[in-house]
């Protein structure tokens, strides 16, 4: 009889521990998803003009937020009123992380970068499988939006100012 009680108590303790572990794992997953959702890229929103573009060219990025969890960007360069370069950007969360997808008209599919670093006014995305760029960084300092693309020993920096319309 004592053995039966001891076995029942041990089984109850094991079930209780397993339930606590499962609840803890679920709580951690919820916290990770909430942490992803709390990342805010709203400071990208609006139209930005590159301040350090070559003479005769104008380069812009326009960012919008079509819903609570997605940001869309469109980058383009004009020369004498004609579009000579463009790319579409999509900044989206998944269950594990945020992704930046970039597609140019000549690309068969978007290139996907994974969020590497984040702070309220800085982020970087990385894709080690492409040679250039494999790191994309954005930073807002005051009214200036700074961007950089890099890979290997090469880094190209850009500065943008907001366009008042």
């Amino acid at each position: 009889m004592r053995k039966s009680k001891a076995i029942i108590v041990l089984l109850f303790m094991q079930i209780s521990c397993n339930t606590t572990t499962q609840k803890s794992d679920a709580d951690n997953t919820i916290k990770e998803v909430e942490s992803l959702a709390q990342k805010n890229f709203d400071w990208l929103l609006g139209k930005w003009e590159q301040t350090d573009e070559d003479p005769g060219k104008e380069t812009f990025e326009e960012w919008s937020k079509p819903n609570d969890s997605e940001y869309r960007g469109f980058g383009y360069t004009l020369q004498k009123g004609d579009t000579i370069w463009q790319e579409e950007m999509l900044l989206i969360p998944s269950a594990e992380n945020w992704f930046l997808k970039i597609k140019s008209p000549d690309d068969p599919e978007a290139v996907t970068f994974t969020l590497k670093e984040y702070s309220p006014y800085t982020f970087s995305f990385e894709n080690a499988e492409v040679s250039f760029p494999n790191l994309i960084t954005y930073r807002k300092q005051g009214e200036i939006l700074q961007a950089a693309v890099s890979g290997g020993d090469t880094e190209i920096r850009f500065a943008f100012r907001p366009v008042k319309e």
Side-chain angles (χ1 to χ4, degrees):
M1 182 81 159
R2 284 187 181 186
K3 281 187 177 182
S4 296
K5 284 184 182 179
I7 291 172
I8 290 172
V9 168
L10 287 173
L11 283 173
F12 179 75
M13 288 175 59
Q14 183 173 358
I15 291 170
S16 177
C17 287
N18 286 345
T19 302
T20 302
T21 300
Q22 289 172 355
K23 184 174 181 179
S24 176
D25 290 346
D27 288 345
N28 287 340
T29 301
I30 289 170
K31 287 177 185 172
E32 288 171 11
V33 169
E34 287 173 350
S35 174
L36 281 173
Q38 290 174 357
K39 291 190 174 25
N40 185 322
F41 302 94
D42 285 1
W43 49 271
L44 282 174
L45 299 177
K47 185 174 183 177
W48 299 87
E49 181 176 13
Q50 187 175 336
T51 62
D52 50 357
E53 183 55 273
D54 294 334
K57 294 181 182 177
E58 298 175 291
T59 297
F60 300 92
E61 280 194 10
E62 296 184 34
W63 287 90
S64 63
K65 188 176 180 182
N67 58 54
D68 289 341
S69 63
E70 178 180 304
Y71 296 84
R72 290 188 175 270
F74 182 67
Y76 58 99
T77 299
L78 302 174
Q79 186 172 29
K80 296 181 183 176
D82 291 330
T83 303
I84 61 169
W85 170 86
Q86 66 182 6
E87 68 181 7
E88 295 177 6
M89 298 162 281
L90 181 61
L91 184 54
I92 54 172
S94 73
E96 301 86 36
N97 205 345
W98 279 81
F99 296 99
L100 176 62
K101 296 181 177 226
I102 299 178
K103 184 173 184 323
S104 296
D106 296 336
D107 296 336
E109 59 186 45
V111 178
T112 301
F113 296 81
T114 304
L115 183 65
K116 180 180 178 185
E117 293 181 23
Y118 172 86
S119 67
Y121 292 98
T122 304
F123 63 79
S124 62
F125 282 83
E126 183 177 49
N127 180 337
E129 296 176 12
V130 294
S131 59
F132 190 88
N134 59 24
L135 185 66
I136 299 172
T137 303
Y138 278 81
R139 172 180 293 116
K140 185 164 186 231
Q141 289 189 296
E143 288 290 307
I144 301 299
L145 179 65
Q146 298 174 339
V149 293
S150 58
D153 294 335
T154 304
E155 179 179 64
I156 303 170
R157 295 175 181 233
F158 309 93
F160 295 88
R161 65 172 177 78
V163 175
K164 310 288 187 212
E165 292 187 273

